[in-house]
Each structure stands twice: as structure tokens, then as C-alpha cells.
Amino acid sequence: MDQMGKIRVEKKYTLTELREKEDEALSKSNKYEMLDRKRDAVNIVFIGHVDAGKSTLAGRVLVETKEVDEQELKQFKQEAAKNKRENWYLSYVLDINEDEK
């Protein structure tokens, strides 16, 4: 019972429901608060020839895991279009200097 004498019923959630609620709350919060969320680390190595798509693939992974927000992705698309490489915008997520781009 609560202080008003009313019976309080608490819903029990499954682990999946709790994770969905957590993800929903985090998606509404600040991007940098999400960095505090504990995640398992994964190390990935991409090996391939020049222009084989290593940066594009890695950029796709970062976009799909929501590590790049929509505003940043829009900037990368604009920069790629400016450089006449519209299809390479995902590689711009990782490529830091102009030589890489």
C-alpha cells in the first residue's frame, strides 16, 4: 500500500521488455549520455585492397549501430556530393583527412 492507503500494483517485465524500455529512454536522451551505457566491446579488422570498400563497410557498421547521428550523416553525404563521390558517403565516417577521402 502507498501512503494514501491505495494498493499499488507493479507490472513485472520480461528482460526483453526492460531492454526495449531502456533503449527507448536512451534514444530520447542526449547522445553523450548513451556513451555511459555499458556495452560489450567488439574488435573488428577489415582487410582488403585499395578501394575495396573497407571504410564504407566500417561506416555502415557505425551507422547501423547508431554511433553516427543523422546530422553527422547528412554532413558526410553533402561532403561526398561536393567531391563527386555520392556513393562513398559511408566511408567519410572514418576517413579523417582529405587524402583518405
Side-chain angles (χ1 to χ4, degrees):
M1 286 193 192
D2 65 8
Q3 293 176 346
M4 304 291 288
K6 296 180 182 177
I7 297 174
R8 189 173 61 182
V9 177
E10 293 184 25
K11 181 180 179 192
K12 293 186 179 182
Y13 295 97
T14 65
L15 184 57
T16 302
E17 290 173 324
L18 287 173
R19 285 185 178 151
E20 288 172 355
K21 288 192 166 293
E22 181 186 27
D23 288 342
E24 183 180 322
L26 285 172
S27 68
K28 293 178 183 176
S29 70
N30 185 327
K31 166 184 164 179
Y32 297 103
E33 290 173 15
M34 290 180 69
L35 295 176
D36 294 334
R37 181 178 175 195
K38 185 179 178 186
R39 291 187 175 183
D40 294 330
V42 176
N43 295 318
I44 301 174
V45 177
F46 297 100
I47 299 172
H49 293 283
V50 173
D51 293 335
K54 298 177 299 290
S55 293
T56 302
L57 179 59
R60 169 63 68 193
V61 169
L62 292 173
V63 168
E64 293 296 324
T65 57
K66 308 276 191 260
E67 295 297 322
V68 179
D69 66 23
E70 292 297 320
Q71 184 63 31
E72 289 174 311
L73 192 58
K74 183 178 177 183
Q75 290 174 350
F76 293 134
K77 286 181 180 180
Q78 290 173 348
E79 189 175 353
K82 183 181 83 173
N83 293 334
K84 295 183 176 34
R85 299 199 181 264
E86 293 86 358
N87 294 331
W88 292 21
Y89 72 95
L90 289 169
S91 67
Y92 280 42
V93 173
L94 293 175
D95 295 344
I96 297 171
N97 61 38
E98 291 302 315
D99 290 338
E100 291 177 319
K101 294 177 180 179

